[in-house]
Amino acid sequence: MDGSSEHDARLEVRGGRRLEGEVVLSGAKNSALKLLAASLLTTDPCVIRRVPRITDVATMVTMLRALGAQADPVGDGDVLRVHAGSGLSGCAPYELVRTMRASIIVMGPLVARLGEATIAMPGGCNIGPRRIDFHIRGLEKLGAHIDIDHGFIRVHSDGLKGAVVPLDYPSVGATENLLMAATAAEGETVIENAAREPEIMDLCAFLAGMGAEIEGAGTSTIHIAGGRPLHGVDHAVIADRIEAGTYLLMGAATSGRVTTIGLDPAHLELFLTKLRAMGVQVEEGEERITVSRDGPLAPVDISTLPHPGFATDLQAQTMVLLSLAEGTSIITENVFENRFVVVDELNRLGAGIETSGHHAVIAGPRSLSGTVVEAPDLRGGAALVTAGLVADGQTEVRSVYHIDRGYEDLTGKLRILGADVSRAGEGPRTEPEMPASLKSCDDEAVRSA
Ligand code: EPZ
């Protein structure tokens, strides 16, 4: 063994191929993680289908096991069975929360199920501080008592009570935590200014399948009639709209013809409108979207916003397509504080992007040429692969583990579309370890609660 680890994995992308063909989408990362957490709300087993085989899911499975639940694959496909019977502990250890800040999503279900939760404070990440004040204030509105110290959030409730919970901002995670907590709150909860993402609707469908009474899923005002016991559910995750948008952008960038299978086009409505405005042909069908391009691209201006606005998770990848357009485009990033991290690496590939605060000015058309680049995060990594597909020569994308967090079998799916890509340099893949120091949940700092 050459001592290399999975963090040494890199992608070698040789540009110049047109992508042609169909790609079957995986289940949505940003829904699957929450459905896994929602399974904690019942003592019955839950079956979740079309779970993407990505490292964030492996981390969440490890988290559920650390909390005392059973979480196991059914067969060798994309089905997971979660059984959070008795013996649950309400503590999410630092090692796992540090690995995946979305772990915070177990807070709502734990306080609903157990009346308490101890969660290591999620750090920020390189796209922003990722605060959780809306989560905290919302849970307090439902009657939870929350202390934060020594790096842990300690939530306690003597019984949640339904309330009107206005969100300052339609936070996806806060909406999800509050939805799950509200199912156990006595009486009605109304979440105002709720997030409207398709993943929120999928969570509401999952909770309704468990016996929850929810109205307004997908709108800004969601009503939850709490206090009903929840039972098991068998549910298939919706397709991943960000994975879909990424492959559609790759097809347009390479002047190819790419069809995604499995996604309702309505989940990408504004994104597809922007592609058409750039001169990309877009055909929509029953859970099928086809893009093709045989002419020049026009520049467009884009502002990222909460759904149904333009998805921030497609912003970095779209910068690559705009670098090929005949003119200057402006992207305004309104969701995260620092989501232009990948710009420097894109410019090393020949892009001409200048940023100032929340604005990126993308000059085009630019000829990209391959070199060694470093993925800074999940979607930045996807942007670098997109650039590599059109760059002259070979692009070596390092820190591919970022990409593995959210894209199932990227290399395999790209090869099916005719791309010339390969993975190299990686050591043995390791499942996220059950942290040896689970005691971090009951060390002195926490015990002194
Ligand atoms: C979810 O993150 C997604 N992650 C993100 O996808 C996605 O970009 C984001 O929603 C927006 O669509 C998962 O679902 C696991 P937010 P989340 O709460 O829930 C601020 C990807 O690439 N905020 O809507 O963390 C926050 O700092 C990832 O798949 C507060 O200030 O998003 C951010 O600026 C990246 N206080 C903005 O709101 C809070 O209490 C949006 O955050 C909560 C959020």
Side-chain angles (χ1 to χ4, degrees):
M1 196 162 68
D2 58 7
S4 60
S5 80
E6 64 182 331
H7 278 208
D8 299 320
R10 59 184 187 275
L11 282 183
E12 292 167 354
V13 187
R14 284 160 289 278
R17 299 265 186 100
R18 290 171 188 263
L19 298 195
E20 312 264 353
E22 294 186 346
V23 57
V24 177
L25 299 169
S26 301
K29 164 177 88 80
N30 292 347
S31 177
L33 295 176
K34 297 38 173 314
L35 306 189
L36 288 165
S39 304
L40 295 169
L41 289 165
T42 176
T43 56
D44 290 351
C46 293
V47 173
I48 305 172
R49 302 176 187 280
R50 194 161 58 177
V51 179
R53 277 156 287 197
I54 55 178
T55 53
D56 271 7
V57 164
T59 302
M60 182 58 83
V61 165
T62 303
M63 173 67 78
L64 293 178
R65 289 171 179 163
L67 293 169
Q70 294 166 4
D72 300 295
V74 177
D76 57 3
D78 57 3
V79 181
L80 283 179
R81 179 181 183 273
V82 179
H83 189 191
S86 55
L88 277 191
S89 87
C91 177
Y94 170 67
E95 294 74 11
L96 291 173
V97 177
R98 179 176 61 86
T99 306
M100 180 182 66
R101 62 171 312 287
S103 308
I104 191 73
I105 209 66
V106 301
M107 182 162 65
L110 285 176
V111 73
R113 172 77 186 270
L114 303 174
E116 61 176 12
T118 303
I119 317 273
M121 277 293 277
C125 65
N126 67 2
I127 63 176
R130 311 297 294 274
R131 296 168 44 231
I132 56 168
D133 49 331
F134 306 150
H135 301 242
I136 302 293
R137 284 213 298 270
L139 289 174
E140 287 174 336
K141 278 268 186 191
L142 297 180
H145 307 285
I146 298 177
D147 295 308
I148 298 178
D149 66 5
H150 296 285
F152 280 85
I153 310 161
R154 280 194 294 279
V155 191
H156 177 77
S157 138
D158 299 324
L160 297 171
K161 297 273 181 300
V164 175
V165 185
L167 288 176
D168 290 357
Y169 172 93
S171 154
V172 170
T175 301
E176 291 161 338
N177 255 327
L178 292 170
L179 268 171
M180 292 188 277
T183 61
E186 204 52 47
E188 180 180 60
T189 295
V190 183
I191 303 173
E192 295 179 340
N193 196 22
R196 298 170 51 193
E197 276 69 4
E199 292 76 27
I200 299 285
M201 296 177 71
D202 204 28
L203 175 59
C204 289
F206 187 87
L207 294 171
M210 295 173 83
E213 264 195 57
I214 298 174
E215 278 178 33
T219 75
S220 298
T221 305
I222 305 179
H223 296 253
I224 306 102
R228 288 162 171 69
L230 300 182
H231 51 71
V233 64
D234 184 322
H235 182 95
V237 183
I238 55 170
D240 194 316
R241 62 194 166 101
I242 307 304
E243 183 193 25
T246 304
Y247 285 110
L248 295 171
L249 282 162
M250 290 170 165
T254 58
S255 299
R257 182 179 176 81
V258 167
T259 298
T260 58
I261 308 287
L263 182 81
D264 175 354
H267 291 185
L268 282 177
E269 188 173 354
L270 181 57
F271 170 75
L272 298 177
T273 301
K274 287 293 182 181
L275 287 188
R276 291 188 175 103
M278 293 180 69
V280 178
Q281 288 77 43
V282 180
E283 298 150 50
E284 298 179 25
E286 179 70 30
E287 298 208 336
R288 291 173 72 90
I289 305 170
T290 299
V291 300
S292 56
R293 172 167 81 95
D294 50 20
L297 289 166
V300 298
D301 293 343
I302 288 170
S303 287
T304 67
L305 284 168
H307 194 78
F310 191 97
T312 174
D313 294 347
L314 287 170
Q315 177 256 99
Q317 306 92 306
T318 304
M319 270 199 278
V320 178
L321 192 61
L322 291 172
S323 298
L324 310 177
E326 316 256 324
T328 298
S329 306
I330 296 176
I331 288 188
T332 304
E333 171 56 54
N334 295 305
V335 176
F336 286 105
E337 295 81 355
N338 181 27
R339 206 164 192 178
F340 294 134
V341 182
V342 73
V343 163
D344 290 344
E345 292 297 87
L346 289 176
N347 286 341
R348 292 185 55 246
L349 291 167
I353 306 170
E354 288 186 27
T355 63
S356 168
H358 285 257
H359 302 287
V361 179
I362 301 109
R366 307 287 290 207
S367 302
L368 304 183
S369 60
T371 184
V372 179
V373 289
E374 189 85 24
D377 54 53
L378 167 58
R379 306 304 175 182
L384 292 170
V385 174
T386 305
L389 291 168
V390 294
D392 175 50
Q394 176 168 300
T395 297
E396 181 182 299
V397 181
R398 293 184 174 173
S399 300
V400 172
Y401 65 91
H402 286 295
I403 302 176
D404 293 340
R405 295 187 52 176
Y407 289 91
E408 179 178 347
D409 191 18
L410 175 71
T411 311
K413 293 188 178 185
L414 279 175
R415 282 199 177 133
I416 289 170
L417 295 174
D420 182 357
V421 299
S422 50
R423 271 181 89 104
E426 70 194 297
R429 310 251 325 181
T430 51
E431 289 298 307
E433 282 302 303
M434 181 77 80
S437 60
L438 263 181
K439 71 166 181 52
S440 66
C441 277
D442 56 14
D443 66 15
E444 215 36 56
V446 178
R447 250 200 307 272
S448 61

